[in-house]
Amino acid sequence: MESTLYKEAVQFIQEKITIKPKIGLILGSGLGVLTDEMTDCVTIPYETVPHFPRATVEGHAGEWVIGKLSGIDIAVMKGRFHFYEGHHQKQVTFPVRVMKYLGIRNLIVTNAAGGIHPNFSAGDFMLITDHLNLMGTNPLIGPNDDRLGPRFPDMSEVYSLQLRMIAKRAAQDLQIPLQEGVYAAMVGPVYETPAEVRMIATLGGDAVGMSTVPEAIVANHSGLSVLGLSVISNLAAGIQKEKLSHQEVMETAKQVRSNFIQLIKKIVFEIGEKTDENG
């Protein structure tokens, strides 16, 4: 059974840590620098964890960093897995199930995305309010294990309204502008064509990327509360004249590093405080 594989990975991780994290964080392209702000850390390379695939994309270090951020116990994925790397979606989302078994209740998912909304600029942060799954598949396809979640999970609030309110207050306190919008997930690894970008805009998408949605679906299936945050690394094809590149994504991540770190640290602190209040 799948649950046995998750438990074997969890047992391996638990043997190396002394804390019980209640918050999980998945860091997108170029955003791994946040772990430099953590204390009392244990670093665990993905390839050492039973049943874990390997991260192969530049800007994704491929390791767990488990420790404290803003004084809160947290488990951080420094880099993620992508469908376009050739992984099955169950492999892409395997770490989310592991987080559930580790005792994590709140998951923060970050990514670098192309901006589609006309009011967005490169370097903006976008709070994800909803998503469009345009990947042509779903990580829950196949037999359902009722111990993991229901056969037909509700997706009317994939991204927790309560966590979004916490994020908005944190951004306001820090005076960091925070956009809101719908994230569209495409398979990749190619960037979208101008026609595809127009299609996404017509469907109601405000930003586009190649990740996050499978993880958010499985997190909801697992009963986790999810907060999604996109760094608008560039404007999507047809909106800007320049050709798109992964290097541009990395450069934008560097430019917004300070604000990103401040914002995530405050959000983690506020969620951690709220979690402690609620037991």
Side-chain angles (χ1 to χ4, degrees), residues 145-223:
D145 186 339
D146 293 337
R147 292 172 295 181
L148 302 177
R151 170 74 281 187
F152 302 107
D154 175 67
M155 291 285 152
S156 57
E157 191 183 313
V158 178
Y159 303 91
S160 164
L161 179 59
Q162 182 182 38
L163 295 188
R164 279 186 273 151
M165 294 302 294
I166 289 173
K168 289 167 74 171
R169 286 196 299 269
Q172 187 174 26
D173 290 346
L174 294 169
Q175 297 184 319
I176 294 174
L178 185 61
Q179 306 276 15
E180 295 182 78
V182 175
Y183 176 88
M186 301 283 279
V187 172
V190 297
Y191 290 108
E192 303 71 35
T193 68
E196 288 169 338
V197 170
R198 292 194 298 271
M199 174 193 72
I200 293 167
T202 300
L203 293 174
D206 298 298
V208 61
M210 306 171 192
S211 67
T212 300
V213 167
E215 297 149 327
I217 289 172
V218 168
N220 273 262
H221 184 251
S222 301

Coordinates of all heavy atoms in Angstrom, one line a residue, residues 145-223:
D145 N -7.0 5.5 -1.5 CA -6.8 4.9 -0.1 C -7.5 5.8 0.8 O -7.2 7.0 1.1 CB -5.3 4.9 0.2 CG -5.0 4.2 1.5 OD1 -5.9 4.1 2.3 OD2 -3.8 3.8 1.7
D146 N -8.6 5.3 1.4 CA -9.5 6.1 2.3 C -8.7 6.6 3.5 O -9.2 7.5 4.2 CB -10.7 5.3 2.7 CG -11.6 5.0 1.5 OD1 -11.6 5.8 0.5 OD2 -12.4 4.1 1.6
R147 N -7.6 6.0 3.9 CA -6.8 6.4 5.0 C -6.1 7.7 4.7 O -5.7 8.5 5.6 CB -5.8 5.4 5.4 CG -6.5 4.1 6.0 CD -5.4 3.0 6.2 NE -4.9 2.5 4.9 CZ -4.0 1.6 4.8 NH1 -3.5 1.0 5.9 NH2 -3.5 1.2 3.6
L148 N -5.9 8.0 3.4 CA -5.3 9.3 3.0 C -6.2 10.4 2.8 O -5.9 11.6 3.0 CB -4.5 9.0 1.7 CG -3.4 7.9 1.8 CD1 -2.8 7.7 0.4 CD2 -2.3 8.2 2.8
G149 N -7.4 10.1 2.3 CA -8.4 11.1 2.1 C -9.6 10.6 1.3 O -9.6 9.4 0.9
P150 N -10.7 11.3 1.1 CA -11.9 10.8 0.5 C -11.7 10.6 -1.0 O -10.9 11.3 -1.7 CB -12.9 11.9 0.8 CG -12.1 13.2 0.9 CD -10.8 12.7 1.6
R151 N -12.5 9.8 -1.6 CA -12.5 9.5 -3.0 C -12.7 10.8 -3.9 O -12.1 11.0 -4.9 CB -13.5 8.4 -3.4 CG -13.8 8.2 -4.9 CD -12.7 7.4 -5.6 NE -11.5 8.3 -6.0 CZ -10.5 7.8 -6.7 NH1 -10.5 6.6 -7.1 NH2 -9.5 8.6 -7.0
F152 N -13.7 11.6 -3.4 CA -14.1 12.8 -4.2 C -13.9 14.0 -3.3 O -14.9 14.5 -2.7 CB -15.5 12.7 -4.7 CG -15.8 11.5 -5.6 CD1 -16.5 10.4 -5.1 CD2 -15.3 11.4 -6.9 CE1 -16.7 9.3 -5.9 CE2 -15.5 10.3 -7.7 CZ -16.2 9.3 -7.2
P153 N -12.7 14.5 -3.1 CA -12.5 15.6 -2.2 C -13.0 17.0 -2.8 O -13.0 17.2 -4.0 CB -10.9 15.7 -2.1 CG -10.5 15.1 -3.4 CD -11.5 14.0 -3.7
D154 N -13.6 17.8 -1.9 CA -14.1 19.1 -2.2 C -12.9 20.0 -2.5 O -11.9 20.0 -1.8 CB -14.9 19.6 -1.1 CG -15.4 21.1 -1.3 OD1 -16.2 21.3 -2.2 OD2 -14.9 22.0 -0.6
M155 N -13.0 20.8 -3.5 CA -12.0 21.8 -3.9 C -12.5 23.2 -4.0 O -12.0 24.0 -4.7 CB -11.4 21.4 -5.3 CG -10.6 20.1 -5.2 SD -8.9 20.3 -4.4 CE -8.7 18.6 -3.8
S156 N -13.6 23.5 -3.2 CA -14.2 24.8 -3.3 C -13.3 25.9 -2.5 O -13.5 27.1 -2.8 CB -15.6 24.8 -2.7 OG -15.6 24.3 -1.3
E157 N -12.4 25.4 -1.7 CA -11.5 26.4 -1.0 C -10.1 25.7 -0.9 O -9.6 25.4 0.2 CB -12.0 26.8 0.4 CG -11.2 28.0 1.0 CD -11.7 28.3 2.4 OE1 -13.0 28.4 2.6 OE2 -10.9 28.5 3.3
V158 N -9.5 25.5 -2.1 CA -8.1 24.9 -2.1 C -7.1 25.6 -1.3 O -6.3 25.1 -0.5 CB -7.6 24.7 -3.5 CG1 -6.3 24.1 -3.5 CG2 -8.6 23.9 -4.4
Y159 N -7.2 27.0 -1.4 CA -6.2 27.9 -0.7 C -7.0 28.5 0.5 O -7.9 29.4 0.2 CB -5.6 28.9 -1.7 CG -5.0 28.1 -2.8 CD1 -5.7 27.8 -4.0 CD2 -3.7 27.7 -2.7 CE1 -5.1 27.1 -5.0 CE2 -3.1 26.9 -3.8 CZ -3.8 26.7 -4.9 OH -3.2 25.9 -5.9
S160 N -6.6 28.1 1.7 CA -7.3 28.5 2.9 C -7.6 30.0 3.0 O -6.6 30.8 3.0 CB -6.5 28.0 4.1 OG -7.0 28.6 5.3
L161 N -8.8 30.4 3.2 CA -9.2 31.8 3.4 C -8.6 32.3 4.6 O -8.1 33.4 4.7 CB -10.7 31.9 3.4 CG -11.2 33.4 3.6 CD1 -10.8 34.3 2.5 CD2 -12.8 33.4 3.7
Q162 N -8.5 31.5 5.7 CA -7.9 32.0 6.9 C -6.4 32.2 6.8 O -5.9 33.3 7.3 CB -8.1 30.9 8.0 CG -7.6 31.3 9.4 CD -7.8 30.2 10.4 OE1 -7.6 29.0 10.1 NE2 -8.1 30.6 11.7
L163 N -5.7 31.4 6.1 CA -4.3 31.6 5.9 C -4.1 32.8 4.9 O -3.1 33.5 5.1 CB -3.6 30.3 5.3 CG -3.6 29.1 6.2 CD1 -2.8 28.0 5.6 CD2 -3.1 29.4 7.6
R164 N -5.0 33.0 4.0 CA -4.8 34.1 3.1 C -5.0 35.4 3.9 O -4.3 36.4 3.6 CB -5.8 34.1 2.0 CG -5.4 33.2 0.8 CD -6.4 33.3 -0.3 NE -7.5 32.4 -0.2 CZ -8.8 32.6 -0.7 NH1 -9.0 33.7 -1.3 NH2 -9.7 31.7 -0.5
M165 N -5.9 35.4 4.8 CA -6.1 36.6 5.6 C -4.8 36.9 6.5 O -4.4 38.1 6.6 CB -7.3 36.5 6.5 CG -8.6 36.4 5.8 SD -9.0 37.9 4.8 CE -9.1 39.1 6.1
I166 N -4.2 35.9 7.0 CA -3.0 36.0 7.8 C -1.9 36.6 6.9 O -1.1 37.5 7.3 CB -2.5 34.7 8.3 CG1 -3.4 34.2 9.5 CG2 -1.1 34.7 8.8 CD1 -3.2 32.8 10.0
A167 N -1.8 36.1 5.6 CA -0.8 36.6 4.7 C -1.0 38.0 4.3 O 0.0 38.8 4.2 CB -0.7 35.7 3.4
K168 N -2.2 38.4 4.1 CA -2.5 39.8 3.8 C -2.2 40.8 4.9 O -1.7 41.8 4.7 CB -4.0 39.9 3.4 CG -4.3 39.2 2.0 CD -5.8 39.1 1.8 CE -6.5 40.4 1.4 NZ -7.9 40.1 1.0
R169 N -2.5 40.3 6.1 CA -2.2 41.2 7.3 C -0.7 41.3 7.4 O -0.1 42.4 7.7 CB -2.8 40.6 8.5 CG -4.3 40.8 8.7 CD -4.8 40.6 10.1 NE -4.5 39.2 10.6 CZ -5.3 38.2 10.4 NH1 -6.5 38.4 9.8 NH2 -5.0 37.0 10.9
A170 N 0.1 40.2 7.2 CA 1.5 40.2 7.3 C 2.1 41.2 6.3 O 3.0 42.0 6.6 CB 2.1 38.8 7.1
A171 N 1.6 41.1 5.0 CA 2.1 42.0 4.0 C 1.8 43.4 4.3 O 2.7 44.3 4.1 CB 1.5 41.6 2.6
Q172 N 0.6 43.7 4.8 CA 0.3 45.0 5.2 C 1.1 45.6 6.3 O 1.6 46.7 6.2 CB -1.2 45.1 5.6 CG -1.8 46.5 5.8 CD -3.3 46.4 6.1 OE1 -3.8 45.5 6.6 NE2 -3.9 47.5 5.8
D173 N 1.4 44.8 7.3 CA 2.3 45.2 8.4 C 3.7 45.5 7.9 O 4.3 46.5 8.4 CB 2.3 44.1 9.5 CG 1.0 44.0 10.2 OD1 0.2 44.8 10.1 OD2 0.9 42.9 10.9
L174 N 4.1 44.8 6.9 CA 5.5 45.0 6.4 C 5.5 46.0 5.3 O 6.6 46.3 4.7 CB 6.1 43.6 5.9 CG 6.3 42.6 6.9 CD1 6.6 41.2 6.3 CD2 7.5 43.0 7.8
Q175 N 4.4 46.5 4.9 CA 4.2 47.4 3.7 C 4.8 46.8 2.4 O 5.5 47.5 1.7 CB 4.9 48.8 4.1 CG 4.2 49.5 5.3 CD 4.8 50.8 5.5 OE1 6.0 51.0 5.5 NE2 4.0 51.8 5.8
I176 N 4.5 45.6 2.3 CA 4.9 44.9 1.0 C 3.7 44.7 0.2 O 2.7 44.0 0.6 CB 5.6 43.5 1.3 CG1 6.9 43.7 2.1 CG2 5.8 42.7 0.1 CD1 7.5 42.4 2.6
P177 N 3.7 45.2 -1.0 CA 2.5 45.1 -1.9 C 2.2 43.6 -2.2 O 3.2 42.8 -2.4 CB 2.9 45.8 -3.2 CG 3.9 46.8 -2.7 CD 4.7 46.1 -1.6
L178 N 1.0 43.2 -2.2 CA 0.6 41.8 -2.4 C -0.6 41.7 -3.3 O -1.7 42.1 -3.0 CB 0.3 41.1 -1.0 CG 0.0 39.6 -1.1 CD1 1.2 38.8 -1.6 CD2 -0.4 39.1 0.3
Q179 N -0.3 41.2 -4.5 CA -1.4 41.0 -5.5 C -2.2 39.7 -5.1 O -1.7 38.9 -4.3 CB -0.8 40.9 -6.9 CG 0.1 42.0 -7.3 CD -0.7 43.2 -7.9 OE1 -1.9 43.3 -7.7 NE2 0.0 44.1 -8.6
E180 N -3.3 39.6 -5.7 CA -4.1 38.3 -5.6 C -4.5 37.8 -6.9 O -4.8 38.6 -7.8 CB -5.3 38.6 -4.7 CG -5.0 38.9 -3.2 CD -6.3 39.1 -2.4 OE1 -6.9 38.1 -2.0 OE2 -6.7 40.2 -2.2
G181 N -4.6 36.5 -7.1 CA -5.1 36.0 -8.4 C -5.1 34.5 -8.5 O -4.8 33.8 -7.5
V182 N -5.5 34.1 -9.7 CA -5.7 32.7 -10.0 C -4.4 32.2 -10.7 O -4.0 32.8 -11.7 CB -6.9 32.4 -10.9 CG1 -7.0 31.0 -11.3 CG2 -8.2 32.9 -10.1
Y183 N -3.9 31.1 -10.2 CA -2.7 30.5 -10.8 C -3.1 29.3 -11.7 O -3.9 28.4 -11.4 CB -1.8 29.9 -9.6 CG -0.6 29.2 -10.1 CD1 0.6 29.8 -10.3 CD2 -0.6 27.8 -10.2 CE1 1.8 29.2 -10.6 CE2 0.6 27.1 -10.6 CZ 1.7 27.8 -10.8 OH 2.9 27.1 -11.2
A184 N -2.6 29.4 -12.9 CA -2.8 28.3 -13.9 C -1.6 27.4 -14.0 O -0.5 28.0 -14.2 CB -3.2 29.0 -15.3
A185 N -1.8 26.1 -14.0 CA -0.7 25.2 -14.1 C -0.7 24.5 -15.4 O -1.6 23.9 -15.8 CB -0.8 24.2 -13.0
M186 N 0.4 24.7 -16.1 CA 0.7 24.0 -17.4 C 1.8 22.9 -17.2 O 2.5 23.0 -16.2 CB 1.1 24.9 -18.5 CG 0.1 26.1 -18.7 SD -1.3 25.5 -19.7 CE -0.6 25.6 -21.4
V187 N 1.9 22.0 -18.1 CA 2.8 20.9 -17.9 C 4.3 21.3 -18.0 O 5.1 20.9 -17.2 CB 2.5 19.7 -18.9 CG1 3.6 18.7 -18.9 CG2 1.2 19.1 -18.7
G188 N 4.6 22.2 -19.0 CA 6.0 22.5 -19.2 C 6.7 21.3 -19.9 O 6.0 20.3 -20.3
P189 N 8.0 21.4 -20.1 CA 8.9 22.4 -19.6 C 9.0 23.6 -20.5 O 9.8 24.6 -20.3 CB 10.3 21.7 -19.6 CG 10.2 20.7 -20.7 CD 8.8 20.2 -20.7
V190 N 8.3 23.6 -21.7 CA 8.3 24.8 -22.5 C 7.5 25.9 -21.9 O 6.5 25.7 -21.2 CB 7.7 24.5 -23.9 CG1 8.6 23.4 -24.6 CG2 6.3 24.0 -23.8
Y191 N 7.9 27.2 -22.1 CA 7.1 28.3 -21.7 C 5.9 28.4 -22.7 O 5.9 27.9 -23.8 CB 7.9 29.6 -21.8 CG 8.9 29.7 -20.7 CD1 10.3 29.6 -21.0 CD2 8.6 29.8 -19.3 CE1 11.3 29.6 -20.0 CE2 9.5 29.9 -18.3 CZ 10.9 29.8 -18.7 OH 11.8 29.8 -17.7
E192 N 4.8 29.0 -22.2 CA 3.6 29.0 -23.0 C 3.7 29.9 -24.2 O 4.5 30.8 -24.3 CB 2.5 29.6 -22.1 CG 2.2 28.9 -20.8 CD 3.4 29.1 -19.8 OE1 3.9 30.2 -19.7 OE2 3.7 28.1 -19.0
T193 N 2.9 29.6 -25.2 CA 2.9 30.4 -26.4 C 2.0 31.6 -26.2 O 1.2 31.6 -25.2 CB 2.3 29.6 -27.6 OG1 0.9 29.3 -27.3 CG2 3.0 28.3 -27.8
P194 N 2.1 32.7 -26.9 CA 1.2 33.8 -26.8 C -0.3 33.4 -26.9 O -1.1 33.9 -26.1 CB 1.6 34.7 -27.9 CG 3.0 34.5 -28.1 CD 3.2 33.0 -27.9
A195 N -0.6 32.4 -27.7 CA -2.0 32.0 -27.9 C -2.4 31.3 -26.6 O -3.6 31.5 -26.1 CB -2.1 31.1 -29.1
E196 N -1.6 30.5 -26.0 CA -1.9 29.8 -24.8 C -2.1 30.8 -23.6 O -3.0 30.6 -22.8 CB -0.8 28.8 -24.4 CG -0.9 27.6 -25.3 CD 0.4 26.7 -25.2 OE1 1.4 27.2 -24.7 OE2 0.3 25.5 -25.5
V197 N -1.3 31.8 -23.6 CA -1.4 32.9 -22.6 C -2.8 33.6 -22.7 O -3.5 33.9 -21.7 CB -0.3 33.9 -22.7 CG1 -0.5 35.1 -21.8 CG2 1.0 33.2 -22.2
R198 N -3.2 33.9 -24.0 CA -4.5 34.5 -24.2 C -5.6 33.6 -23.7 O -6.6 34.0 -23.2 CB -4.6 34.9 -25.7 CG -3.7 36.0 -26.2 CD -4.2 36.6 -27.5 NE -4.1 35.6 -28.6 CZ -3.1 35.3 -29.3 NH1 -1.9 35.9 -29.1 NH2 -3.1 34.4 -30.3
M199 N -5.4 32.3 -24.0 CA -6.4 31.3 -23.6 C -6.6 31.3 -22.0 O -7.7 31.4 -21.5 CB -6.0 29.9 -24.0 CG -6.9 28.8 -23.5 SD -6.2 27.1 -23.7 CE -4.9 27.1 -22.5
I200 N -5.4 31.3 -21.3 CA -5.4 31.3 -19.9 C -6.1 32.6 -19.3 O -6.9 32.5 -18.4 CB -4.0 31.2 -19.3 CG1 -3.5 29.8 -19.7 CG2 -4.0 31.4 -17.8 CD1 -2.0 29.7 -19.5
A201 N -5.8 33.7 -20.0 CA -6.4 35.0 -19.5 C -8.0 34.9 -19.7 O -8.7 35.3 -18.8 CB -5.9 36.1 -20.3
T202 N -8.4 34.3 -20.8 CA -9.8 34.2 -21.1 C -10.5 33.3 -20.0 O -11.6 33.5 -19.6 CB -10.1 33.6 -22.5 OG1 -9.5 34.5 -23.5 CG2 -11.5 33.4 -22.8
L203 N -9.8 32.3 -19.6 CA -10.3 31.3 -18.6 C -10.3 31.9 -17.2 O -10.8 31.3 -16.3 CB -9.5 30.0 -18.6 CG -9.6 29.2 -19.9 CD1 -8.6 28.0 -19.8 CD2 -11.0 28.7 -20.1
G204 N -9.6 33.0 -17.0 CA -9.6 33.7 -15.7 C -8.3 33.5 -15.0 O -8.2 33.9 -13.8
G205 N -7.2 33.1 -15.6 CA -5.9 32.9 -15.0 C -5.2 34.3 -14.9 O -5.2 35.1 -15.9
D206 N -4.5 34.5 -13.8 CA -3.8 35.8 -13.6 C -2.2 35.5 -13.7 O -1.5 36.5 -13.9 CB -4.1 36.4 -12.3 CG -5.6 36.8 -12.2 OD1 -6.0 37.6 -13.0 OD2 -6.3 36.2 -11.3
A207 N -1.8 34.3 -13.5 CA -0.4 33.9 -13.6 C -0.3 32.5 -14.0 O -1.2 31.7 -13.8 CB 0.3 34.1 -12.2
V208 N 0.8 32.1 -14.6 CA 1.0 30.7 -15.1 C 2.3 30.2 -14.7 O 3.3 30.9 -14.6 CB 0.8 30.7 -16.6 CG1 1.9 31.6 -17.3 CG2 0.8 29.3 -17.2
G209 N 2.3 28.9 -14.4 CA 3.6 28.2 -14.0 C 3.5 26.7 -14.3 O 2.5 26.2 -14.9
M210 N 4.4 25.9 -13.7 CA 4.5 24.5 -14.0 C 4.5 23.7 -12.8 O 5.0 22.5 -12.8 CB 5.8 24.3 -14.8 CG 6.0 25.1 -16.1 SD 7.6 24.9 -16.8 CE 7.6 26.3 -18.0
S211 N 3.9 24.1 -11.7 CA 4.0 23.4 -10.4 C 2.8 23.7 -9.6 O 1.7 24.2 -10.1 CB 5.3 23.8 -9.7 OG 5.2 25.1 -9.3
T212 N 2.9 23.5 -8.3 CA 2.0 23.9 -7.2 C 0.6 23.2 -7.2 O 0.2 22.8 -6.1 CB 1.8 25.4 -7.3 OG1 3.1 26.1 -7.1 CG2 0.8 25.9 -6.2
V213 N -0.1 23.2 -8.3 CA -1.4 22.6 -8.3 C -1.5 21.2 -7.9 O -2.3 20.8 -7.1 CB -2.1 22.8 -9.7 CG1 -3.4 22.0 -9.8 CG2 -2.4 24.3 -9.9
P214 N -0.6 20.3 -8.4 CA -0.7 18.9 -7.9 C -0.5 18.8 -6.4 O -1.2 18.1 -5.7 CB 0.5 18.2 -8.6 CG 0.6 19.0 -9.9 CD 0.4 20.4 -9.5
E215 N 0.5 19.6 -5.9 CA 0.7 19.6 -4.4 C -0.4 20.1 -3.6 O -0.8 19.6 -2.6 CB 2.0 20.5 -4.2 CG 3.2 19.9 -4.8 CD 4.3 21.0 -5.2 OE1 3.8 22.1 -5.6 OE2 5.5 20.7 -5.2
A216 N -1.1 21.2 -4.2 CA -2.2 21.8 -3.5 C -3.4 20.8 -3.5 O -4.1 20.7 -2.5 CB -2.6 23.1 -4.1
I217 N -3.6 20.1 -4.6 CA -4.7 19.1 -4.6 C -4.5 18.0 -3.6 O -5.4 17.6 -2.8 CB -4.8 18.5 -6.0 CG1 -5.3 19.5 -7.0 CG2 -5.7 17.2 -6.0 CD1 -5.3 19.1 -8.5
V218 N -3.3 17.4 -3.5 CA -3.0 16.3 -2.6 C -3.0 16.8 -1.1 O -3.5 16.1 -0.2 CB -1.6 15.7 -2.9 CG1 -1.2 14.8 -1.8 CG2 -1.8 14.9 -4.2
A219 N -2.6 18.1 -0.9 CA -2.6 18.6 0.4 C -4.1 18.7 0.9 O -4.4 18.4 2.1 CB -2.0 20.0 0.5
N220 N -5.0 19.2 0.0 CA -6.4 19.3 0.4 C -6.9 17.9 0.6 O -7.7 17.7 1.6 CB -7.2 20.0 -0.7 CG -7.2 21.5 -0.5 OD1 -8.1 22.0 0.0 ND2 -6.1 22.1 -1.0
H221 N -6.6 16.9 -0.2 CA -7.0 15.5 -0.1 C -6.6 15.0 1.3 O -7.3 14.2 1.9 CB -6.5 14.7 -1.2 CG -6.9 13.3 -1.2 ND1 -6.1 12.2 -0.9 CD2 -8.2 12.7 -1.5 CE1 -6.8 11.1 -1.0 NE2 -8.0 11.3 -1.4
S222 N -5.4 15.5 1.8 CA -4.8 15.0 3.0 C -5.4 15.7 4.2 O -5.0 15.4 5.4 CB -3.3 15.1 3.0 OG -2.8 14.4 1.9
G223 N -6.2 16.8 4.0 CA -6.7 17.6 5.1 C -5.8 18.7 5.6 O -6.0 19.2 6.7

